[in-house]
Amino acid sequence: MGDNAREHGFHWKIFHSALRRRPSSEQAGNPAGDLPPGAAHRLVKRELYPVHIFLIIISGTIGMGLFHNSGEVLSIAGPVGGLIAYVIVGIAVVCIMEGIAEMIGHWPIANAMVEFVKAFVDKDLAIVVGIAYWYAYSISFAILIIAAANLAGFWDWSTVLQNFLFIGGAPILLLVINCLGVFWYGNVESVLGALKIMLMIGAFLAMCAINNKDIDEGFQNNPYIAKNHATAVLVAIPIITYAYIGVEIVAVTALEAKNPHLSLKYPAKLIAWLTLGFYFFSALGFYLNVHWKDPLLPVIRGRNENANSLPESSSNATQTSSIAVIAVLNAHIPNLPGFVNICLIMAVLSASNTALYVASRTLFGLTREISPNDKYWWWLSKLSTTSYERKVPAAALFTSAVAFCWLPFLHLTKNYTLNDLQNLMSGMATVAVVLVWGILCLAFIRYRLWLRRFKDGPHLRDERPKYNHWTPGNKDVPFTTILGWLQPIPAYFGLVFCFLTVFVFATAGWWNGKAKAIDVLTAFVGVSLPAFLFVSKMLI
């Protein structure tokens, strides 16, 4: 009797709660799988092929996190400390994505991250995950616009023209691209994603050819930020984590994948590994050619009292904080710095474009089950509607674009207090995504533990062999990851990493007693806002 009850719970929890929402070809873009016939205003087009999905993830991941944050890490931990931090974070992200990839492989469903948490952890927490993930990418859309405008400061041109093009024009252009439809958005990001890959490969080869051997400086630590080499690496870990945000976007693309089972398989399985390789070798190339005390490297504002003691840089006196541009400036190659800067602007705008896509699809998925007849929340159901011809979630797209559109305009003031607000919002976005990673690790752990309860019985062996990961050579399993044989150990490692990053590593820069109020506030708000949302949802 107890075994039957457990099996019944197994059926209901996993298959009824999750598989009932699985999209199929017959549903023709119906994301929920339970919409009434004729509800065409809530359908989307499935037009993303595997190459689209892979390059969209590349576009959403590779942006200022690599080309700006790697310079900040270098100035904090030195070249070897920076590379070690990249490897630590990369391994942790691989462990996180291994679990997400396995769940996506079995259930390539729309609004996957929310549904996984809802099925395996808690329904209220799932809603908070969706909200946090939405505002993280909606904020990122605006912050990356600011980053592109800052990169444009490399050239001595009209400030009015610069602000018009980037603060005013860029958001409109990206909104238009998203409104054209998912097929055209996918094509644009496929081209830009391919260009990013070529940029990273070309930059690494160029850095190796130049090779100023600045990496020989080894372990270092900026004494105004970290007391020793080990602490410097810990300070670098949250900064580098920001660069990896986006690898989980594969779960968002399930909504519009042409054939979810086939289209998501290899992007989900390989993206974290490839990102780790790209980032490590890109950082290695930069660290070969930029001294860890180069004055042009970005620093934590208010923590660069050692600037006067730094050796004089061979760089030109120009406005840039991108380590890629600094490296080619130091090489004194004519016209190359300007070309690299143009490439970086395109990379950042591409990442902003994908952030808008992710935010809009997340908001669309969150509101799809709200009934238009709901007494209190009927107005939110409008966010789950799509345009008549192109099937774009226009309301969710517009809402995601304007929610934090005021942030780029703060850039115009050049006010330190408002800049701190920008940093606060950026920190909130980073913490939100890391928390989502951790909760997804927890969802995967619970899923695997439930499966383990039935591994020796007939349920997995005979009735559901495709979920049996314990029988060697089981060809019925449709999807396996590289580290699947070790699970759930990698998932536990990913969960612990997320916890330590948010609650420990993020505070490492304070341990020398020189923390700024904005740093403390960023860490506090980043954690407390999702907690507040969770408590509020439970009370409603």
Side-chain angles (χ1 to χ4, degrees):
M1 190 70 182
D3 290 340
N4 291 335
R6 289 201 305 173
E7 289 193 9
H8 176 75
F10 176 86
H11 270 291
W12 187 89
K13 193 70 176 180
I14 295 181
F15 298 105
H16 177 71
S17 184
L19 294 185
R20 72 182 182 87
R21 294 182 175 88
R22 176 181 292 183
S24 64
S25 57
E26 289 80 15
Q27 290 166 336
N30 181 343
D34 50 10
L35 294 178
H41 63 292
R42 290 193 174 190
L43 303 186
V44 295
K45 289 185 176 181
R46 297 194 176 279
E47 297 183 322
L48 293 180
Y49 292 88
V51 65
H52 286 135
I53 293 171
F54 174 75
L55 292 172
I56 284 171
I57 302 169
I58 292 293
S59 293
T61 304
I62 299 173
M64 284 305 289
L66 172 62
F67 300 112
H68 177 277
N69 289 17
S70 56
E72 187 173 346
V73 166
L74 177 62
S75 69
I76 293 172
V80 174
L83 290 175
I84 289 176
Y86 264 104
V87 171
I88 292 173
V89 178
I91 292 173
V93 171
V94 164
C95 291
I96 293 165
M97 278 304 299
E98 286 282 298
I100 296 175
E102 183 176 315
M103 291 190 292
I104 284 289
H106 281 299
W107 303 293
I109 54 179
N111 206 27
M113 288 184 284
V114 172
E115 296 297 340
F116 293 155
V117 177
K118 184 183 295 184
F120 303 124
V121 185
D122 182 81
K123 291 183 178 181
D124 290 330
L125 184 60
I127 300 300
V128 174
V129 163
I131 295 173
Y133 196 68
W134 169 76
Y135 74 65
Y137 275 92
S138 185
I139 290 173
S140 295
F141 168 68
I143 293 296
L144 289 167
I145 294 293
I146 299 173
N150 288 335
L151 285 171
F154 174 82
W155 297 286
D156 185 18
W157 61 344
S158 169
T159 303
V160 174
L161 177 61
Q162 175 184 326
N163 292 333
F164 175 77
L165 290 176
F166 290 94
I167 305 302
I172 296 175
L173 174 63
L174 301 184
L175 184 59
V176 169
I177 291 174
N178 272 271
C179 287
L180 291 176
V182 69
F183 179 75
W184 289 107
Y185 161 78
N187 286 334
V188 168
E189 287 306 318
S190 293
V191 172
L192 295 176
L195 290 175
K196 285 185 180 183
I197 293 175
M198 289 188 286
L199 172 62
M200 287 189 295
I201 295 174
F204 174 70
L205 295 176
M207 295 298 100
C208 290
I210 298 170
N211 192 6
N212 290 328
K213 298 183 178 179
D214 286 308
I215 199 171
D216 292 344
E217 294 294 321
F219 284 102
Q220 299 292 337
N221 63 283
N222 184 331
Y224 289 91
I225 298 175
K227 290 183 178 181
N228 51 57
H229 301 336
T231 304
V233 173
L234 296 183
V235 174
I237 285 176
I239 300 172
I240 291 175
T241 300
Y242 173 75
Y244 280 91
I245 287 176
V247 293
E248 78 295 330
I249 289 175
V250 63
V252 179
T253 62
L255 174 68
E256 291 159 307
K258 187 72 174 180
N259 186 333
H261 284 283
L262 297 178
S263 299
L264 302 177
K265 184 175 182 179
Y266 291 105
K269 186 174 184 176
L270 299 176
I271 187 61
W273 294 93
L274 292 174
T275 304
L276 169 58
F278 283 145
Y279 278 9
F280 177 81
F281 287 107
S282 295
L284 175 63
F286 297 145
Y287 294 171
L288 284 170
N289 295 280
V290 179
H291 194 278
W292 80 283
K293 287 189 175 182
D294 192 306
L296 284 180
L297 287 174
V299 293
I300 301 175
R301 194 172 64 80
R303 306 285 290 281
N304 59 335
E305 290 88 340
N306 58 335
N308 293 331
S309 66
L310 302 181
E312 205 163 319
S313 172
S314 58
S315 305
N316 298 342
T318 189
Q319 294 184 35
T320 185
S321 60
S322 169
I323 192 171
V325 178
I326 295 171
V328 294
L329 281 172
N330 290 342
H332 301 290
I333 302 176
N335 301 319
L336 186 57
F339 173 76
V340 171
N341 202 61
I342 291 173
C343 294
L344 295 184
I345 290 175
M346 292 179 59
V348 171
L349 290 178
S350 170
S352 181
N353 193 32
T354 295
L356 178 58
Y357 169 81
V358 173
S360 64
R361 270 50 178 188
T362 302
L363 188 58
F364 174 77
L366 270 175
T367 55
R368 71 183 188 196
E369 294 181 356
I370 298 177
S371 170
N373 300 319
D374 189 283
K375 183 177 180 180
Y376 299 105
W377 304 105
W378 61 267
W379 51 279
L380 286 176
S381 68
K382 302 294 183 182
L383 297 175
S384 63
T385 59
T386 55
S387 59
Y388 178 75
E389 182 177 352
R390 300 186 185 275
K391 300 302 179 186
V392 173
L397 193 61
F398 182 77
T399 301
S400 300
V402 302
F404 299 95
C405 64
W406 46 273
L407 278 174
F409 290 96
L410 298 182
H411 174 78
L412 304 178
T413 65
K414 306 297 183 183
N415 182 286
Y416 279 136
T417 302
L418 296 178
N419 285 338
D420 283 341
L421 178 59
Q422 293 174 6
N423 293 333
L424 172 64
M425 301 299 290
S426 179
M428 283 174 52
T430 302
V431 171
V433 176
V434 176
L435 288 174
V436 170
W437 286 354
I439 294 170
L440 286 171
C441 287
L442 178 61
F444 177 79
I445 290 168
R446 288 174 62 85
Y447 150 68
R448 270 302 192 107
L449 290 178
W450 282 328
L451 281 183
R452 183 180 290 273
R453 293 164 58 187
F454 303 93
K455 71 172 184 174
D456 297 323
H459 190 87
L460 287 183
R461 187 179 60 246
D462 302 323
E463 299 174 30
R464 299 282 182 177
K466 65 180 180 179
Y467 297 101
N468 186 357
H469 294 270
W470 291 272
T471 300
N474 181 10
K475 296 183 179 181
D476 291 314
V477 176
F479 186 88
T480 57
T481 60
I482 295 173
L483 298 181
W485 61 280
L486 272 175
Q487 293 289 9
I489 294 174
Y492 277 112
F493 180 79
L495 176 61
V496 172
F497 171 82
C498 293
F499 178 86
L500 292 177
T501 298
V502 172
F503 296 101
V504 180
F505 301 153
T507 68
W510 314 348
W511 297 351
N512 62 358
K514 297 181 180 180
K516 292 181 57 187
I518 189 64
D519 299 330
V520 179
L521 183 61
T522 298
F524 175 76
V525 174
V527 174
S528 60
L529 181 56
F532 171 78
L533 292 173
F534 180 57
V535 173
S536 300
K537 182 64 178 68
M538 291 183 66
L539 295 177
I540 292 177

